[in-house]
Amino acid sequence: MQFPKNFYFGAATAAHQVEGGNRNDWTEWEKTNAQRLAAEAEPKFKHVAVWDDVKIQAQDPENYISGKATNHYHRFEEDFDIAARLGHNAHRFSIEWARVEPEEGKFDEREIAHYQNVIMALRERKIEPFVTLWHFTLPQWFSKMGGFLHPDASRLFARYCAHVVSALGGMARFFFTMNEPEIYASNAYWKGVWPPQKKGLGAYLRVNKALMRAHNAAYAVIKKSIPSCTVGIVKDNIHFQGLLAPLARWWWNHRFLQKTRFDCIGLNYYFGGCDTKQKSDMDWSVCPEGIYRVLQELHRYTKPVYITENGVADMRDAMRADFIKNHVEQTAKAIRAGVDVRGYFYWSLLDNFEWDKGFWPRFGLVEIDYKTFERKIRPSAWEYARLIKDSRQ
Ligand code: BGC
């Protein structure tokens, strides 16, 4: 497989899923919903292939409390040592807004210093930092005022982004304003499965628009303060098939990109409409050709593309190595076809807190023992390391 010189290979995480000790809209929601989620687990997940192995955990309310998560907040150096041993030359992580701005307009400089240390730890290991400014969780003060539906939301979001980038912009070059706006809008305002659990077309459409406005406002202030940094948006795009595919593609894959400004695109790709029998532990169909198709769809924007997430829940580590190899192969094919892809980040470096499903899905290159916080590198992580090494020869 041929990759451009300086191609980035690494893995991704998100603050709330790995850090531990957070206080935000999710931690509140977890407290009031853990019992319910545990009670609903059986009817919801009984069909997944690993149900017998995970049912005790999935039916335990503790599974749905992020708590200490992987304790990455205190163990990031150890985790980056692992990433470096595995040959990663880039790492994507997110800033926890609620830590940095715990009260409206009051910024906690100690937390900013923490993220400066995170970036320094990456740089010391020759790992390029890719910073996501918002990955789904909100400070409580912001969610209480209505979150992104508040009329002043984009100004407040842009102010937070500007504050972070002015402190970190000298140390990192790549910033993404937000992660997967479509997933956030649909889970939180349409399906009602994430906080604030709204289920209505009106609010769903309004929040979609509000996220575009917030991104554009953040893009403008960041570029004004540090014109040299690269500011992108992370999109979750799907390989749609069937009669309604063109409509779905427009609404889900393209609309946000058509209405916003950005210097690069982050692509998160998990599944597509392939005719395949291979399913992850979460019952998502594995479809490597789909990543080639969605990459091709991004060609029209003539901007660099980074695959900011691609991964599989696979507790037995039986399919992860092939999953990575096959998706990376399809990425190489897209590059040969002319798409300007510049990086690939596996999701995730560590097992982590999978939102309303809690801790049972296992996405990590590194297995976490949630009782001892011991890290164990999975065999597939070494296979990925070999692939990275071979691609550099
Ligand atoms: C999100 C991650 C999540 C992953 C797997 C993406 O939608 O960005 O936070 O863990 O998918 O579900």
Side-chain angles (χ1 to χ4, degrees):
M1 281 185 264
Q2 292 272 306
F3 286 91
K5 223 173 138 248
N6 304 327
F7 192 85
Y8 291 116
F9 276 112
T13 62
H16 188 67
Q17 296 178 269
V18 292
E19 282 183 348
N22 279 327
R23 291 179 62 197
N24 53 36
D25 63 332
W26 267 84
T27 50
E28 286 301 296
W29 186 81
E30 289 158 20
K31 277 190 235 155
T32 46
N33 286 273
Q35 292 281 354
R36 175 183 62 81
L37 293 169
E40 287 171 3
E42 175 150 2
K44 242 189 184 162
F45 305 126
K46 204 176 170 181
H47 60 288
V48 304
V50 293
W51 176 247
D52 283 343
D53 296 308
V54 302
K55 67 179 170 202
I56 294 178
Q57 190 184 358
Q59 291 175 331
D60 178 357
E62 275 303 305
N63 176 63
Y64 303 93
I65 303 283
S66 57
K68 291 192 179 147
T70 72
N71 203 12
H72 178 71
Y73 187 83
H74 297 292
R75 300 178 80 137
F76 63 88
E77 293 190 301
E78 178 186 345
D79 293 335
F80 298 159
D81 280 341
I82 295 175
R85 273 176 74 196
L86 294 172
H88 297 190
N89 64 349
H91 178 73
R92 172 175 173 241
F93 69 97
S94 79
I95 310 284
E96 177 61 29
W97 184 359
R99 285 187 188 275
V100 169
E101 192 180 356
E103 285 176 57
E104 185 184 343
K106 293 214 174 102
F107 291 90
D108 185 337
E109 297 310 320
R110 283 168 318 178
E111 294 292 357
I112 296 272
H114 167 80
Y115 290 111
Q116 286 173 329
N117 290 338
V118 168
I119 294 180
M120 249 142 37
L122 289 169
R123 288 245 172 264
E124 278 162 16
R125 290 161 181 81
K126 303 207 169 10
I127 299 177
E128 183 71 34
F130 280 65
V131 184
T132 308
L133 293 159
W134 177 60
H135 197 123
F136 298 154
T137 48
L138 301 175
Q140 283 166 23
W141 60 264
F142 186 75
S143 80
K144 282 192 183 123
M145 64 165 59
F148 283 97
L149 290 183
H150 190 275
D152 213 15
S154 38
R155 185 187 66 81
L156 295 170
F157 179 67
R159 181 179 64 180
Y160 152 72
C161 292
H163 193 92
V164 173
V165 177
S166 69
L168 307 184
M171 307 169 74
R173 285 186 292 154
F174 297 98
F175 291 90
F176 293 101
T177 56
M178 53 177 74
N179 183 68
E180 301 185 344
E182 289 79 13
I183 290 280
Y184 175 76
S186 96
N187 283 351
Y189 287 86
W190 173 248
K191 296 186 196 157
V193 292
W194 286 2
Q197 280 191 286
K198 300 271 188 270
K199 280 189 190 180
L201 186 61
Y204 169 68
L205 296 175
R206 275 190 290 128
V207 88
N208 263 298
K209 261 200 162 158
L211 292 170
M212 291 173 194
R213 268 200 307 272
H215 163 84
N216 278 337
Y219 179 87
V221 293
I222 298 172
K223 292 301 279 189
K224 201 167 158 207
S225 76
I226 310 197
S228 60
C229 68
T230 300
V231 182
I233 170 75
V234 173
K235 288 278 295 100
D236 157 84
N237 281 7
I238 298 175
H239 171 43
F240 291 105
Q241 279 184 313
L243 215 56
L244 292 176
L247 185 65
R249 223 173 272 141
W250 164 73
W251 175 257
W252 192 272
N253 291 357
H254 292 293
R255 209 167 144 270
F256 200 100
L257 295 171
Q258 287 163 353
K259 305 255 180 204
T260 55
R261 297 179 62 203
F262 45 85
D263 306 323
C264 70
I265 301 171
L267 169 70
N268 291 358
Y269 173 83
Y270 283 90
F271 51 80
C274 276
D275 213 4
T276 168
K277 289 207 168 53
Q278 205 187 14
K279 297 273 173 92
S280 80
D281 291 353
M282 284 161 70
D283 223 25
W284 294 357
S285 23
V286 175
C287 177
E289 304 88 85
I291 201 168
Y292 172 72
R293 304 264 171 232
V294 291
L295 281 169
Q296 275 204 322
E297 280 179 28
L298 296 178
H299 199 18
R300 68 183 78 161
Y301 297 100
T302 62
K303 299 281 184 200
V305 178
Y306 296 88
I307 295 163
T308 35
E309 285 179 36
N310 171 236
V312 63
D314 176 23
M315 66 182 293
R316 301 191 179 116
D317 204 35
M319 53 181 133
R320 185 173 287 104
D322 279 346
F323 181 98
I324 296 174
K325 186 173 135 279
N326 295 337
H327 284 80
V328 169
E329 252 166 27
Q330 293 292 326
T331 302
K333 189 173 152 197
I335 295 172
R336 285 198 299 277
V339 188
D340 184 6
V341 190
R342 300 192 185 178
Y344 173 90
F345 295 79
Y346 176 76
W347 180 270
S348 172
L349 180 63
L350 311 170
D351 283 344
N352 60 57
F353 181 73
E354 178 56 24
W355 306 111
D356 57 321
K357 296 173 191 69
F359 286 107
W360 70 260
R362 300 282 186 157
F363 276 91
L365 293 172
V366 178
E367 182 183 342
I368 302 290
D369 178 327
Y370 290 109
K371 288 202 181 81
T372 61
F373 298 111
E374 192 199 337
R375 276 74 173 133
K376 225 189 259 162
I377 301 176
R378 291 199 163 103
S380 57
W382 292 114
E383 300 253 350
Y384 178 35
R386 196 165 10 211
L387 178 157
I388 295 172
K389 197 164 167 221
D390 290 351
S391 81
R392 294 201 177 121
Q393 304 210 324

